[in-house]
Amino acid sequence: MFNLILFGPPGSGKGTQSENIIESFGLQHLSTGNLLRTEMGNQTELGMEAKRYMDAGQLVPDAVVIGMVGNFMDAKPDAKGFLFDGFPRTTAQCIALDALLKEKNNEINLVLALEVSEEELVKRLLGRGLTSGRSDDTNENIIRARIKEYHDKTTAVATYYAQFNKVVGITGEGTVETIYADLKKEIDGLLASQVEMDAASNE
Ligand code: B4P
């Protein structure tokens, strides 16, 4: 199994780049933002609770998100790996994810961290808000609150995985294609080194 986290602030291109990565590498896409928006669209109890936080630019409580991720992973027993997009977003979520993977004798192999300036993030999200219908993208104050949540709670995710030397920073400004090429180079490099290690251990 190959498990990858695509990490970065809101609007850094996680959703955009995930599409390319899952297509090339056949990973199962797990976007907590998408899962939460589906729950909201279906007006489930979980979705109605999540909406209150998302509309204020705040993170949804850990227990809600972790339960949802566990259910999603259990429903995909044949996945050859997961691409985690927008998850984990707190240290508690990192610890919970490690435990969920360990139950399946697995771990996170790589964290790719997209780096984008705050002004570019605000510009992109306001741009998406013109057409997406997402209420959290239309108001600059809410967008800045989301970026503050990222600095207050989510940058700790990179610190957590850095202690295991799993984080690689990627410049997230430029064309979608050049950024994808940089991401792909890192994934290809890691997969090649895993093949070499497997071959060596079979000798
Ligand atoms: P998410 O749905 O995860 O999404 P996001 O932060 O808005 O951004 P993403 O980085 O995916 O942006 P995208 O590629 O689309 O989160 C939404 C909310 O859900 C959070 O605020 C939180 O409340 C809640 N939530 C989600 N997960 C949670 C968790 N684990 N715990 C607690 N709460 C959680 O790109 C944005 C725009 O930029 C697009 O318009 C795109 O076209 C454009 N763009 C992308 N790449 C570009 C490039 N290279 N150049 C120019 N524009 C580009």
Side-chain angles (χ1 to χ4, degrees):
M1 229 185 178
F2 181 76
N3 295 300
L4 171 69
I5 294 174
L6 194 54
F7 177 79
S12 55
K14 302 184 294 290
T16 304
Q17 296 296 344
S18 288
E19 312 247 330
N20 295 325
I21 295 173
I22 53 169
E23 196 174 313
S24 299
F25 295 96
L27 299 176
Q28 180 67 53
H29 187 203
L30 196 167
S31 158
T32 42
N34 289 349
L35 291 177
L36 290 166
R37 281 185 288 277
T38 301
E39 295 282 344
M40 275 164 50
N42 293 336
Q43 300 198 335
T44 64
E45 201 177 315
L46 190 157
M48 298 321 283
E49 186 186 357
K51 186 174 181 355
R52 284 195 288 128
Y53 295 92
M54 291 168 78
D55 281 353
Q58 293 168 356
L59 292 183
V60 176
D62 287 333
V64 175
V65 176
I66 291 165
M68 192 179 69
V69 168
N71 291 340
F72 184 92
M73 289 173 70
D74 285 345
K76 309 283 176 197
D78 299 327
K80 68 178 219 186
F82 287 92
L83 167 60
F84 296 97
D85 159 9
F87 178 86
R89 265 175 152 101
T90 63
T91 305
Q93 292 182 17
C94 296
I95 293 167
L97 177 59
D98 279 357
L100 285 170
L101 289 170
K102 205 168 170 197
E103 278 172 20
K104 301 176 198 308
N105 283 326
N106 265 293
E107 62 176 1
I108 290 298
N109 300 97
L110 180 64
V111 180
L112 293 172
L114 291 166
E115 293 157 0
V116 178
S117 71
E118 178 157 340
E119 288 321 301
E120 174 70 12
L121 297 174
V122 173
K123 193 174 98 191
R124 286 183 188 179
L125 292 173
L126 282 172
R128 183 171 66 184
L130 295 175
T131 54
S132 69
R134 275 180 58 171
S135 52
D136 59 344
D137 281 346
T138 43
N139 177 316
E140 185 167 339
N141 290 334
I142 295 175
I143 290 172
R144 295 213 184 259
R146 286 161 63 192
I147 295 171
K148 184 170 183 311
E149 283 277 87
Y150 170 80
H151 288 299
D152 290 349
K153 297 178 184 164
T154 304
T155 50
V157 169
T159 310
Y160 177 88
Y161 288 107
Q163 66 181 315
F164 309 115
N165 291 322
K166 290 185 174 175
V167 183
V168 177
I170 301 284
T171 300
E173 294 189 43
T175 65
V176 171
E177 291 74 23
T178 55
I179 297 164
Y180 177 62
D182 290 343
L183 294 165
K184 184 173 182 302
K185 197 167 134 201
E186 292 299 331
I187 302 170
D188 284 338
L190 190 75
L191 288 172
S193 69
Q194 278 188 343
V195 170
E196 273 174 32
M197 271 162 46
D198 287 349
S201 67
N202 287 333
E203 275 173 12

